[in-house]
Amino acid sequence: LVAHHGPFTWGKTIEEAVSNAERLEYIARLAWVTLQLNPQSPKIPSELHHRHFSRKHAPNAYYGHENS
């Protein structure tokens, strides 16, 4: 995300990029509503964040990949 700018998203097609932008906006809205309901809502632990990021983006990623 870039301050004072819309989101940058991409995909294999323009339709996929738009879909990814819609998903990003939905998740941002969920986060915003959560903080409106509970401003003290805790952030997820960095260990959990890292685990979820790594399962899709690390060298040994396993989420969203077809088994060969």
Side-chain angles (χ1 to χ4, degrees):
L1 298 177
V2 178
H4 309 292
H5 199 285
F8 292 99
T9 60
W10 57 93
K12 292 179 182 175
T13 65
I14 192 150
E15 291 81 10
E16 187 176 303
V18 170
S19 179
N20 290 337
E22 290 171 339
R23 289 182 182 127
L24 177 63
E25 292 290 334
Y26 177 73
I27 292 167
R29 180 168 168 69
L30 289 177
W32 179 78
V33 169
T34 297
L35 291 174
Q36 295 304 303
L37 293 172
N38 180 7
Q40 303 304 318
S41 183
K43 294 182 179 181
I44 65 170
S46 60
E47 174 186 307
L48 180 60
H49 179 269
H50 180 70
R51 183 174 55 189
H52 282 289
F53 180 85
S54 295
R55 70 187 184 134
K56 188 163 187 177
H57 301 287
N60 295 323
Y62 59 90
Y63 180 81
H65 297 271
E66 293 182 26
N67 294 334
S68 302

